[in-house]
Amino acid sequence: MSGGGGAGSKTPADFLKSIRGRPVVVKLNSGVDYRGILACLDGYMNIAMEQTEEYVNGQLKNKYGDAFIRGNNVLYISTSKRTMSEGA
């Protein structure tokens, strides 16, 4: 079961482990996006990010070196390609 064959056999925990250290987009319940490098997260979905950028309505509002997001504010986490800012 842990053979890592297809994407269909991955659990959400496997996905979150696999994206640590990679660029991600974190969407909050408020609609604000944070884009940066996923440093770590815990079982409550508390997230630590590096090189973080805050986007409101698709527009860059702030840049932070490090950011911590409380898990109960998170709507979803997705992987990001660094070219998103070019295409947005």
Side-chain angles (χ1 to χ4, degrees):
M1 199 166 183
S2 63
S9 64
K10 274 191 165 182
T11 66
D14 292 335
F15 168 73
L16 293 172
K17 287 177 191 172
S18 73
I19 63 172
R20 190 179 308 155
R22 293 180 51 199
V24 295
V25 176
V26 177
K27 180 107 173 167
L28 302 188
N29 295 326
S30 65
V32 176
D33 289 350
Y34 288 90
R35 301 177 189 176
I37 308 298
L38 180 65
C40 62
L41 62 131
D42 65 13
Y44 296 101
M45 293 291 288
N46 295 318
I47 299 168
M49 297 175 68
E50 300 170 341
Q51 303 171 27
T52 309
E53 298 174 337
E54 178 183 47
Y55 287 83
V56 178
N57 296 324
Q59 294 189 338
L60 179 63
K61 291 296 180 184
N62 285 303
K63 290 187 178 186
Y64 307 103
D66 296 326
F68 180 80
I69 301 171
R70 186 173 165 154
N72 66 338
N73 295 313
V74 176
L75 183 61
Y76 67 78
I77 302 173
S78 75
T79 55
S80 164
K81 294 178 178 64
R82 272 310 206 186
T83 57
M84 279 187 76
S85 57
E86 297 169 7

